[in-house]
């Protein structure tokens, strides 16, 4: 029986016409990872409320064994394996429905934070071995991506489902950075290969590696 890996990407936001996360995620749709896992790719709206509602429906529908949510992070130079989701919304810009929450909890009585259950250190190590820039990130920000990450971990925690899950931020595509002087970018085939490697490491590594992934600031 095949098992499902749910991979999500976001629609464009902030007036952009592309979102690198969806471009990469949709390229992996239907791909087999290992012997028995198949990727289901789904698009999430860049909206605080709707994204979580859809994500919960997708978890219910697909009953995934692994969930990796992917988002675009303009300005980042590497694959960012997010370590922690915090119970906070503080939007610098409105979402695609015009909502701009400031200093609000995602979940009124929820815990302050959830940690990723992906083997983030092992993923960073594998990506680097393959020549793909990667790092652990200590913050997924306070916008829609952090909300999806938090809602994802909360949903799985609540359902007591054994799914492993987490969030990855990726850089812009070269076409998105072309008109932004100095903006870093990563070519789509490299991003797709990085995601594929991240999924296969998640399948094979049950206990994460004890490697330093911290920062001094
Ligand atoms: N990046 C935004 C939201 C959607 C996306 O791709 C973020 O980092 O919050």
């Amino acid at each position: 029986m095949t098992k499902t890996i749910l991979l999500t990407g976001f629609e464009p936001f902030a007036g952009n016409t592309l979102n690198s996360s969806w471009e990469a995620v949709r390229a992996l749709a239907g791909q087999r990872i290992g012997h028995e896992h198949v990727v289901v790719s789904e698009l999430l709206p860049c909206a605080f409320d709707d994204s979580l509602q859809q994500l919960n429906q997708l978890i219910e529908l697909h009953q995934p064994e692994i969930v990796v949510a992917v988002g675009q992070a303009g300005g980042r130079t590497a694959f960012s394996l997010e370590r922690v989701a915090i119970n906070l919304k503080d939007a610098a810009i409105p979402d695609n429905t015009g909502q701009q929450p400031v200093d609000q909890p995602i979940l009124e009585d929820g815990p302050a934070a959830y940690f990723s259950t992906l083997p983030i250190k092992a993923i960073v190590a594998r990506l680097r071995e393959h020549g793909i820039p990667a790092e652990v990130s200590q913050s997924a920000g306070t916008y829609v991506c952090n909300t999806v990450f938090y809602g994802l971990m909360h949903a799985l925690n609540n359902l007591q489902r054994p799914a492993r899950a987490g969030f990855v931020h990726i850089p812009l595509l070269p076409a998105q950075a072309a008109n932004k002087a100095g903006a870093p970018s990563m070519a789509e085939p490299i991003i797709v290969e990085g995601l594929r490697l991240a999924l296969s490491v998640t399948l094979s590594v049950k206990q994460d590696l004890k490697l330093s992934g911290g920062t001094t600031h």
Side-chain angles (χ1 to χ4, degrees):
M1 208 184 82
T2 58
K3 296 174 180 167
T4 300
I5 298 174
L6 175 60
L7 204 55
T8 67
F10 283 99
E11 67 184 4
F13 66 106
N16 293 299
T17 53
L18 281 180
N19 186 315
S20 56
S21 66
W22 176 238
E23 297 307 310
V25 161
R26 74 172 174 185
L28 284 163
Q31 284 207 15
R32 191 169 279 272
I33 311 284
H35 294 302
E36 48 182 12
H37 289 77
V38 171
V39 175
V40 170
S41 298
E42 297 279 4
L43 176 69
L44 293 178
C46 185
F48 284 98
D49 293 342
D50 298 349
S51 59
L52 279 193
Q53 207 188 324
Q54 288 193 25
L55 180 67
N56 285 322
Q57 285 171 0
L58 291 169
I59 292 169
E60 187 61 31
L61 175 70
H62 296 300
Q63 305 275 316
E65 199 179 78
I66 294 168
V67 187
V68 178
V70 186
Q72 164 189 307
R76 298 228 187 154
T77 55
F79 258 80
S80 298
L81 277 297
E82 298 296 347
R83 191 198 292 258
V84 58
I86 57 173
N87 189 10
L88 177 70
K89 294 185 278 192
D90 190 353
I93 54 169
D95 71 12
N96 285 358
T97 61
Q99 272 193 56
Q100 191 171 0
V102 171
D103 292 353
Q104 287 177 21
I106 295 164
L107 214 79
E108 206 60 65
D109 297 315
Y114 282 107
F115 287 108
S116 173
T117 51
L118 300 177
I120 56 174
K121 304 287 183 73
I123 292 171
V124 167
R126 182 75 62 86
L127 263 58
R128 288 178 176 176
E129 276 165 26
H130 283 253
I132 301 177
E135 64 198 8
V136 171
S137 163
Q138 325 299 344
S139 169
T142 54
Y143 194 49
V144 178
C145 287
N146 174 71
T147 290
V148 161
F149 184 15
Y150 184 92
L152 169 63
M153 301 316 293
H154 183 77
L156 298 174
N157 190 61
N158 243 18
L159 296 172
Q160 298 293 312
R161 242 188 257 288
R164 295 167 90 196
F167 197 97
V168 184
H169 263 122
I170 57 170
L172 299 175
L173 296 171
Q176 295 176 284
N179 291 321
K180 299 184 180 114
S185 64
M186 192 179 275
E188 187 176 323
I190 298 176
I191 297 177
V192 172
E193 177 63 1
L195 288 177
R196 207 186 56 70
L197 285 168
L199 297 179
S200 94
V201 171
T202 302
L203 289 184
S204 62
V205 176
K206 299 293 170 223
Q207 180 104 39
D208 202 0
L209 304 176
K210 267 260 182 300
L211 295 173
S212 169
T215 51
T216 53
H217 55 273

